[in-house]
Amino acid sequence: MRIESARAAAIEWVMEHASREAWFKGAYFSGSTIELPGEAMLPDSSDLDVMIITTLTEPPLKLGKFVYKGTLLEVTYLSWYQFTSVEEVLTSYHLANSFRVNTIIADPTGEVSRLQKRVSRHFADRAWVRRRCENALNRVMNGLRAVDTSAPFQDQVMGWLFPTGVTTHVLLVAALRNPTVRLRYLAAREVLIEYGQASLYADLLKLLGCAHLTKQRIEHHLDNLARTFDATVEVANTPFFFSTDITNIARPIAIDGSRELIRSGYHREAVFWIVATYARCHTVLAADASQDLQRALAPAFEEIVSDLGITSSTDLIRRSKDVIDFLPRLCETTEAILWANPDIEA
């Protein structure tokens, strides 16, 4: 499906459903597709991100992934209170990128459009780019310092994995690139090569723990994940914010998308999302599966985490410290990209 057709389906859903709610404030496109031309094809391993702005202080639970008119949409609800200050949006590396260009779907009051224009005007100012890099760095540090060693092991792994992965976002923000989720390591690799900083990439992979893993080994882990994923889909019942990522309609992204990366020669770049999906599956299994099924599927998860060098909470604390100790070097590289980026304005 072409991007323009996918966008048309998303716009129709917003107008037919979200816009009818009393709390509807506006909607816009987000994610990696916002930079693609209308004639480009939406990959089978991608969805179309739609952000719905509400007037509620506490917005509804993320709607997540679903198919509408043949298009896989991912819908997230946000509170307008996150957007009332231009400065706050310019500082938030997750929010600001979507307002770099006009991605607005609906804006009944015109306030979202006015905000977008102001954010776009200053998006590439060096001072604001640096503040967004700091925003990402704070997510790394705060997340790693908050790893809860009393939580279930899969939650501990997630508590370490996502802040560790945000190291890539620091670099992507400096390069004015979309801070993508699943493909963050591949995107960071491209940025580091472009700016003559390729040597740092080996360190990012080492911090993740996958620098030594072969294509065959990662493919083995993906095969095991596919079995865990399918078993989880069968029993999933308890709602989580990521629930629609563990469904049959999301399988092309979680499983097929990772296999596509591996077969393209980017096997280590697939590890982040494989482990994230594994951990999420085990969170669901802990809530909804029988003890027998949990015990049957646990060894495969433990195997991939062990391959990353993690077998205990002590390992996670040590690995978190390794990432924090690495941050000064990451900051040096980020600053070099900031000054070398021709699109950043003084």
Side-chain angles (χ1 to χ4, degrees), residues 5 8 22 41 43 48 69 72 74 77 98 112 173 194 200 216 300 314:
S5 299
M41 299 300 292
L48 199 64
K69 297 292 181 72
L72 181 59
E74 178 158 15
Y77 296 109
S98 298
V112 181
V173 170
E194 179 180 343
L200 191 80
Q216 292 72 24
T314 301

Side-chain angles (χ1 to χ4, degrees), residues 9-178:
I11 293 169
E12 181 178 317
W13 180 85
V14 169
M15 303 314 296
E16 289 295 321
H17 298 276
S19 70
R20 299 176 185 271
E21 299 289 347
W23 43 250
F24 182 76
K25 183 72 175 179
Y28 63 93
F29 290 114
S30 184
S32 57
T33 63
I34 64 175
E35 298 173 356
L36 296 177
E39 62 271 16
M41 299 300 292
L42 181 68
D44 292 336
S45 58
S46 295
D47 52 28
L48 199 64
D49 291 300
V50 176
M51 315 302 282
I52 306 295
I53 303 175
T54 80
T55 58
L56 303 173
T57 304
E58 293 294 332
L61 186 68
K62 178 179 179 179
L63 191 56
K65 292 180 174 63
F66 61 94
V67 176
Y68 182 80
K69 297 292 181 72
T71 300
L72 181 59
L73 305 180
E74 178 158 15
V75 173
T76 301
Y77 296 109
L78 300 172
S79 171
W80 174 244
Y81 294 98
Q82 296 176 253
F83 299 89
T84 53
S85 164
V86 173
E87 291 76 18
E88 287 187 20
V89 176
L90 280 167
T91 300
S92 169
Y93 82 91
H94 275 302
L95 293 179
N97 193 72
S98 298
F99 287 84
R100 177 181 185 178
V101 295
N102 187 349
T103 64
I104 297 171
I105 298 171
D107 179 23
T109 67
E111 291 175 274
V112 181
S113 295
R114 287 192 289 273
L115 174 71
Q116 185 274 322
K117 289 175 182 177
R118 294 178 66 187
V119 171
S120 177
R121 191 177 306 126
H122 298 287
F123 178 83
D125 292 357
R126 183 172 287 110
W128 288 115
V129 180
R130 185 175 283 116
R131 287 181 67 173
R132 290 196 295 275
C133 290
E134 292 169 356
N135 177 235
L137 279 166
N138 287 333
R139 287 199 177 213
V140 176
M141 291 186 289
N142 294 337
L144 292 174
R145 288 169 177 164
V147 174
D148 182 3
T149 56
S150 67
F153 189 60
Q154 64 269 10
D155 295 340
Q156 294 182 48
V157 171
M158 288 291 279
W160 160 80
L161 178 70
F162 269 88
T164 296
V166 175
T167 54
T168 63
H169 286 170
V170 179
L171 300 166
L172 294 176
V173 170
L176 300 183
R177 304 290 173 81
N178 172 51

Side-chain angles (χ1 to χ4, degrees), residues 148-321:
D148 182 3
T149 56
S150 67
F153 189 60
Q154 64 269 10
D155 295 340
Q156 294 182 48
V157 171
M158 288 291 279
W160 160 80
L161 178 70
F162 269 88
T164 296
V166 175
T167 54
T168 63
H169 286 170
V170 179
L171 300 166
L172 294 176
V173 170
L176 300 183
R177 304 290 173 81
N178 172 51
T180 184
V181 178
R182 185 174 65 88
L183 300 176
R184 64 182 68 191
Y185 279 87
L186 179 60
R189 177 182 183 272
E190 294 170 350
V191 163
L192 289 169
I193 291 173
E194 179 180 343
Y195 285 90
Q197 303 286 344
S199 62
L200 191 80
Y201 191 60
D203 294 306
L204 293 180
L205 295 179
K206 184 178 178 181
L207 290 170
L208 186 59
C210 65
H212 65 291
L213 295 182
T214 64
K215 176 182 178 182
Q216 292 72 24
R217 187 62 176 168
I218 296 172
E219 203 153 27
H220 161 76
H221 288 309
L222 179 60
D223 290 340
N224 284 342
L225 171 61
R227 287 188 281 274
T228 296
F229 187 97
D230 292 340
T232 305
V233 169
E234 289 298 316
V235 301
N237 184 50
T238 302
F240 294 96
F241 74 90
F242 56 80
S243 287
T244 60
D245 291 327
I246 314 295
T247 59
N248 285 325
I249 63 169
R251 199 180 194 278
I253 296 176
I255 306 301
D256 301 341
S258 295
R259 199 173 300 282
E260 180 182 331
L261 271 179
I262 294 170
R263 292 178 177 175
S264 298
Y266 301 114
H267 51 283
R268 296 175 302 182
E269 286 73 15
V271 168
F272 175 85
W273 201 241
I274 290 174
V275 177
T277 304
Y278 243 132
R280 287 176 165 179
C281 283
H282 279 276
T283 295
V284 174
L285 291 168
D288 297 331
S290 67
Q291 290 294 319
D292 286 344
L293 182 58
Q294 291 180 55
R295 282 193 291 268
L297 296 175
F301 176 57
E302 293 166 357
E303 183 182 40
I304 187 172
V305 176
S306 177
D307 271 4
L308 300 184
I310 296 168
T311 59
S312 67
S313 300
T314 301
D315 290 331
L316 284 168
I317 295 302
R318 174 179 53 81
R319 294 291 291 279
S320 295
K321 183 178 183 302

